Amino acid sequence: MTSATAPARGRAPARDVAGLGVGRALGFVAPAMLLIGAFLVFPALWTIYIGVTNYRLTGVEAVSPSMVGLSNYTKALNDALFHNALWLTMLFVLGSAIIGQNILGFTLAWILRRARPVVRRTVEAFTLLAWILPSTVVAYLWVAFYDRDGGTLNGILGTPGTAWLIDYPMACLVVFNTWRGTAFSMMLYSSALQAVPPSQLESARMVGASGWQTLRDIVFPHIRGHVLTNTLLISLWTANDFSPFLLTKGGPNHESETVPVYIYNVALQGGELGYSSAISFLLLIANLLVSLVYLRLLRRRP
């Protein structure tokens, strides 16, 4: 008995379970690898290369850029406008994604789980509409909403003449992005809540647990992975979102200039393609670090 089972335990796992062979397997993955290389790896490498040159949009440096080493990165570390853009980006992510979209998306999903099907589908349709509309259309609607002369918000609040996008640019962007991106969080949490056993919710109700106790002790432990995944995705999307440019263009006086908008202004308005590429690479590093933190939290068992 022992002699018959010993070879099976020591046998190495099969590497070609499907029986395709190395050549066919490479043929199947080659198109995907080519697309990843063309649209992800090559642009990233090109950005790193441009970031160590003095490449400009026009002039002599546009024709024959020179290597400048790490001077673009040292310039970014001492750039007050870049520091301001980083701070505004963190506020934008914290206010509109981590707090706004997370809380509003979960609240809608929690309320709609017991709503009548027609009500649930109607609310989901209107919420999804905000997510799937083109950014230019959405931006135009929100500019009209915030408009100083005849804007909808001033009409509702009775505050004619208030220039919301000039007086409160970041608050306007946080509200805008919360409204725009809540649909994804709502759909993800709606799916996650279906994994919570109804028997446990019923038991909590029978023992008199409050709403917060039910969420803390029963719901959140079951959807912890979904919460972290959702927070990771919406944080990265918001940090790289260019939609704020369509509402404020970074103004007034850099008060709403997030990092993507700052990169655009430096590259196309200032003409400093090398410096903007260095900032883009720093933003990529920041995204990777944030992703690593979330992944470590995701792997940690509760």
Side-chain angles (χ1 to χ4, degrees), residues 121-155:
R121 293 194 188 98
T122 303
V123 174
E124 289 177 350
F126 277 108
T127 309
L128 279 174
L129 191 63
W131 196 42
I132 63 177
L133 281 175
S135 297
T136 50
V137 175
V138 173
Y140 177 80
L141 294 175
W142 278 84
V143 168
F145 179 75
Y146 286 131
D147 189 39
R148 174 171 50 189
D149 303 319
T152 307
L153 184 57
N154 281 332

Side-chain angles (χ1 to χ4, degrees), residues 206-221:
M206 293 181 66
V207 299
S210 64
W212 167 244
Q213 289 172 331
T214 303
L215 291 175
R216 182 192 61 192
D217 298 331
I218 297 178
V219 176
F220 286 144

Side-chain angles (χ1 to χ4, degrees), residues 4 15-16 51-52 55 140 142 152 191 202-203 210-211 225 235 242 260 278:
R15 295 184 177 180
D16 188 9
V52 295
Y55 191 39
Y140 177 80
W142 278 84
T152 307
S191 175
E202 184 63 20
S203 300
S210 64
S235 298
F242 190 67

